[in-house]
Amino acid sequence: MNYFEFYNIPVSFNPNQVEIKKLFYEYSKTYHPDFHTDSSELTKEERLQKSAFNNEAYKTLKNFDKRLKYVLEIKEVIKPTDKDNIPQDFLIEMMDINERIMEVQFDFNEKQHEQILGEIKQFEDQLTDSVDGLLDKSEHSPEELNTVKSYYYKRKYLKRIQENLEKLSTQN
């Protein structure tokens, strides 16, 4: 059973977050082990497993990046064991930024640092535009799912760069 089936909602890149939160709290009350202390050991164990599943489902479905990956896995576009499959053309586009990041790492410059962050934001905006409307659809063609897959990997790459840049700024 996947998380969407558990909550009895359709598989979606953008599910209704208010509904998910409501279901999470409802299931938390239903399955929390503290409400089943007088039950049999088997029932307690089942409730504990469902409570843990509910917590994991909520953590995944409320987080955009985790949810994106999870839906792509459900739709068998990526496998949990897949390595990041970043498109080569994107990596070539990122070469200049990566070189400038290395320069900033060796000789920190606040202005260059901010400029790089701005460029990464522009890449993010372009990425978001590339999937505009796709994430809200309920059905997707294989081509559309591959577009979302590419978006996922590129977004993940950019997030990693941003995190490294943020660490760099706190060190200086």
Side-chain angles (χ1 to χ4, degrees), residues 58-83:
Y58 183 65
K59 277 195 265 182
T60 299
L61 297 182
K62 78 175 186 173
N63 179 288
F64 179 77
D65 293 312
K66 289 180 183 180
R67 183 176 63 246
L68 192 62
K69 180 181 182 197
Y70 188 71
V71 172
L72 289 169
E73 288 172 351
I74 289 171
K75 294 186 178 277
E76 299 179 348
V77 179
I78 61 174
K79 295 181 180 106
T81 56
D82 282 354
K83 294 190 177 203

Side-chain angles (χ1 to χ4, degrees), residues 85-143:
N85 190 9
I86 303 164
Q88 193 67 32
D89 60 333
F90 179 73
L91 290 174
I92 291 170
E93 285 183 76
M94 297 307 298
M95 280 179 66
D96 180 51
I97 286 181
N98 282 319
E99 287 175 8
R100 293 197 346 260
I101 288 171
M102 287 186 348
E103 289 173 14
V104 171
Q105 286 174 327
F106 291 117
D107 186 22
F108 186 79
N109 178 307
E110 184 69 33
K111 185 178 179 182
Q112 284 179 312
H113 179 265
E114 292 301 318
Q115 185 178 4
I116 293 169
L117 283 173
E119 290 177 42
I120 292 170
K121 176 74 172 113
Q122 286 180 322
F123 272 106
E124 272 188 285
D125 292 344
Q126 290 171 352
L127 274 179
T128 301
D129 290 347
S130 74
V131 294
D132 189 37
L134 281 181
L135 301 180
D136 294 324
K137 291 176 64 174
S138 58
E139 296 293 322
H140 300 87
S141 70
E143 183 180 282

